[in-house]
Amino acid sequence: MVLTGWQRQEGALPLRERIYAAVARIPHGKIATYGQIATLAGLRGHARQVGYALHALPDESPIPWYRVVNARGEISRRSRTGADREQRQRLEAEGVVFDSRDRIDLKVFRWQERSHVLEE
């Protein structure tokens, strides 16, 4: 059975847990895009679902949400005041560099995951 949207197969990890597991694997000093995380979580084409899942994380979560950026290498706007500034500060503290247009060079800082899609 193919999983689509927020459906899930009996016994499979819940989709948010798959998203969080993919984000948790992004190494220090690297970033991933929402689409990249969606693909790793078995949700190809559902990058927006990654954004929803990350938005639902509690503030004290150890998941490195700040390592996920949009497909242009930019920090996406957040509903919580100051979250975009916090994201940039955390990334810069890990050595991630922003250019004059506030973008991250994906060729340099994008994490290249080599393993399979997260399933069970």
Side-chain angles (χ1 to χ4, degrees):
M1 175 179 187
V2 175
L3 300 179
T4 59
W6 285 101
Q7 299 171 347
R8 68 177 189 156
Q9 192 173 12
E10 191 63 36
L13 283 176
L15 296 182
R16 282 192 180 178
E17 287 182 28
R18 289 170 32 202
I19 291 168
Y20 298 153
V23 173
R25 293 194 336 242
I26 306 168
H28 180 94
K30 293 292 182 180
I31 54 93
T33 65
Y34 291 98
Q36 181 180 356
I37 295 300
T39 298
L40 288 171
L43 298 167
R44 183 181 276 293
H46 293 278
R48 192 166 289 185
Q49 300 300 332
V50 173
Y52 296 149
L54 293 179
H55 178 75
L57 279 172
D59 289 340
E60 66 278 359
S61 173
I63 303 296
W65 58 269
Y66 57 90
R67 293 182 183 148
V68 182
V69 299
N70 68 31
R72 292 181 305 273
E74 300 170 336
I75 291 174
S76 295
R77 292 186 182 254
R78 305 275 188 253
S79 58
R80 185 173 56 90
T81 303
D84 51 343
R85 184 173 50 252
E86 176 187 354
Q87 183 174 11
R88 182 178 179 130
Q89 289 171 342
R90 286 180 176 222
L91 290 171
E92 288 178 332
E94 291 188 0
V96 175
V97 177
F98 290 79
D99 67 15
S100 61
R101 296 180 303 167
D102 295 323
R103 291 183 178 175
I104 300 164
D105 186 340
L106 296 176
K107 291 177 185 171
V108 175
F109 293 101
R110 186 180 196 153
W111 171 48
Q112 297 300 318
E113 171 62 26
R114 302 275 186 241
S115 67
H116 64 285
V117 171
L118 295 174
E119 291 176 9
E120 294 186 65

